[in-house]
Amino acid sequence: MKALTDLIRDIPDFPEPGVMFKDITPLLADHNGLQIAVGALVEHYRDSNASLVAGIESRGFIFATPIALELQAGFVPIRKPGKLPYDVIREDYDLEYGTDSLEIHRDAVQPGDRVVIIDDVLATGGTAITAAKLVEHLGATVVGVGVMVELEYLGGRKRLDGYELISLVQYEHP
Ligand code: AMP
């Protein structure tokens, strides 16, 4: 996955001091890189019998949609509060300072659905575990969580204990 690492740009102190932001826009702009990233996750989930791929707003959407198409599954958006127009369920989660929330349409997944959750970066894992809870509250099964980038030093994998997790690029240090 060296090809992918070279296409991920470090932006220090964005969006706030102390954060090393992993900018995936060079990867998105590179046809080969984009194909490798999407293709690796498609292969990983090829035999998972997934019926839906849920993308987490907003960069998760970019990867989740082509993965869904390749898996012959549907796409479901998991969004920040107030963005989805129909009936939603909401789940709150803690940030370092304060709380945040994610929402999913109440009818977006059904009991019996097998759902892959996709985001660009796994940091503390709060976002991914919240997405998984939303899917499970609607009675569906979480097949796994797939991300391009895992920031190992923030411990997200531990937080997702019990869920299958794949990342394409890992960083041990900021
Ligand atoms: P977390 O809930 O801490 O795992 O944060 C994951 C979410 O925040 C993902 O949707 C990422 O897009 C975003 N994120 C967190 N930290 C970073 C980072 N260092 N670089 C890029 N995106 C990040």
Side-chain angles (χ1 to χ4, degrees), residues 12-124:
D13 300 319
F14 183 88
E16 52 191 71
V19 175
M20 182 62 83
F21 192 84
K22 299 296 178 186
D23 176 20
I24 56 151
T25 60
L27 190 161
L28 296 176
D30 186 283
H31 172 247
N32 194 39
L34 187 56
Q35 196 157 50
I36 290 170
V38 170
L41 289 178
V42 167
E43 283 320 305
H44 182 76
Y45 293 115
R46 177 78 70 196
D47 299 321
S48 67
N49 208 16
S51 53
L52 292 168
V53 179
I56 302 176
E57 182 171 1
S58 59
R59 290 179 296 274
F61 294 173
I62 299 166
F63 295 101
T65 309
I67 292 168
L69 282 170
E70 286 293 321
L71 294 178
Q72 301 188 343
F75 166 78
V76 167
I78 293 180
R79 300 205 64 176
K80 307 275 166 57
K83 301 285 184 72
L84 288 168
Y86 185 61
D87 284 351
V88 296
I89 62 165
R90 176 195 289 219
E91 185 81 39
D92 300 324
Y93 61 103
D94 289 332
L95 299 174
E96 198 175 350
Y97 301 104
T99 63
D100 212 342
S101 313
L102 288 175
E103 294 181 344
I104 189 170
H105 273 153
R106 202 173 273 286
D107 63 352
V109 309
Q110 315 289 330
D113 272 322
R114 292 176 54 77
V115 184
V116 169
I117 293 171
I118 298 289
D119 204 356
D120 64 334
V121 173
L122 182 79
T124 65

Side-chain angles (χ1 to χ4, degrees), residues 93 121-131 154-157 159-160:
Y93 61 103
V121 173
L122 182 79
T124 65
T127 306
I129 193 87
T130 303
L154 293 176
R157 184 171 286 273
R159 194 135 173 219
L160 284 173

